[in-house]
Amino acid sequence: DAEITQSPRHKITETGRQVTLACHQTWNHNNMFWYRQDLGHGLRLIHYSYGVHDTNKGEVSDGYSVSRSNTEDLPLTLESAASSQTSVYFCASSGGLAGGRETQYFGPGTRLLVL
Amino acid sequence: QKEVEQNSGPLSVPEGAIASLNCTYSDRVSQSFFWYRQYSGKSPELIMSIYSNGDKEDGRFTAQLNKASQYVSLLIRDSQPSDSATYLCAVRLTQAGTALIFGKGTTLSVSS
């Protein structure tokens, strides 16, 4: 079955370290997204991509970067981890349909703790 | 600022009752509307989508959309303890390809 996976599922790191969170989907979806979820803020969009070599900034992109070298993967990099980036990170993907009615599917999430 | 607003709850209903979850959005060009359910420690899963004014029913769930009032709601009939979760309202602003904007979610608790 097609799916979307994230790794690692849990990560503890130190302030200032570079961290990369992986996201892999087997639906062959063009659209991929990264969100973070924090108490009191809900899901907030970090970066998104509509295809290979396309990346766009979301609402809370500062301190994060992404690159899209193939259809299946959209890794999220924290350039220099900060305690404010402690959060649960969700990757999502969707296929393109006319009228914007495509369903967005979420990965299982990565819990990141920055000490 | 494009916003999606939900009452954070918790909304508490007894088993068998109707749970009513509400959502308002600020951007009039919004085209597509979604309700996701999220259990504690899990990822969001889609339960309903609606694109036109009126009601859309799927089993025990009914989504209602009123674009003039910029209002979308979710009714859960015959609520079960397994419906206890956080319900996220999400809006897509343009016709295709854009990310979703989420509300902060409403926590529903169904007591047996």
Side-chain angles (χ1 to χ4, degrees):
Chain A
D1 289 341
E3 61 178 355
I4 180 167
T5 57
Q6 295 183 233
S7 62
R9 295 293 312 278
H10 299 85
K11 175 76 176 178
I12 300 174
T13 191
E14 296 177 343
T15 302
R17 290 191 179 270
Q18 184 181 79
V19 177
T20 296
L21 309 182
C23 176
H24 179 80
Q25 52 95 4
T26 59
W27 279 299
N28 203 35
H29 284 164
N30 286 326
N31 309 324
M32 296 185 72
F33 310 88
W34 274 104
Y35 296 87
R36 59 177 290 175
Q37 188 173 38
D38 307 284
L39 282 174
H41 290 281
L43 279 163
R44 292 182 290 174
L45 183 64
I46 306 171
H47 282 286
Y48 56 102
S49 168
Y50 293 150
V52 177
H53 302 310
D54 175 76
T55 61
N56 306 278
K57 294 181 178 180
E59 177 189 359
V60 290
S61 61
D62 287 349
Y64 303 94
S65 64
V66 294
S67 63
R68 186 93 179 267
S69 58
N70 59 51
T71 300
E72 295 80 18
D73 300 288
L74 186 69
L76 176 71
T77 297
L78 286 68
E79 303 293 345
S80 177
S83 58
S84 60
Q85 293 177 309
T86 292
S87 186
V88 179
Y89 291 86
F90 287 103
C91 179
S93 73
S94 69
L97 291 176
R101 299 185 177 188
E102 66 268 24
T103 297
Q104 198 168 114
Y105 297 95
F106 283 81
T110 294
R111 292 183 175 273
L112 177 67
L113 174 61
V114 182
L115 298 175
Chain B
Q1 181 79 9
K2 300 178 177 65
E3 294 183 344
V4 177
E5 300 286 343
Q6 294 181 255
N7 187 325
S8 62
L11 174 65
S12 297
V13 301
E15 184 174 358
I18 296 175
S20 178
L21 305 165
N22 304 314
C23 173
T24 59
Y25 58 96
S26 62
D27 199 307
R28 287 191 172 273
V29 300
S30 300
Q31 297 287 332
S32 306
F33 307 87
F34 305 85
W35 283 99
Y36 282 79
R37 178 177 62 200
Q38 186 176 24
Y39 292 113
S40 181
K42 301 296 185 182
S43 58
E45 58 177 329
L46 181 72
I47 54 172
M48 288 288 287
S49 58
I50 187 166
Y51 313 108
S52 304
N53 281 328
D55 295 357
K56 178 182 178 182
E57 186 175 320
D58 184 1
R60 295 186 297 112
F61 299 97
T62 299
Q64 300 174 318
L65 175 61
N66 184 325
K67 289 188 177 181
S69 300
Q70 296 176 235
Y71 176 90
V72 58
S73 66
L74 179 70
L75 300 178
I76 306 174
R77 292 182 300 281
D78 188 23
S79 295
Q80 301 297 309
S82 59
D83 295 326
S84 298
T86 296
Y87 290 80
L88 304 172
C89 174
V91 173
R92 178 173 285 129
L93 297 181
T94 63
Q95 286 200 341
T98 58
L100 300 177
I101 296 177
F102 284 85
K104 295 179 181 179
T106 298
T107 299
L108 172 66
S109 177
V110 181
S111 57
S112 57

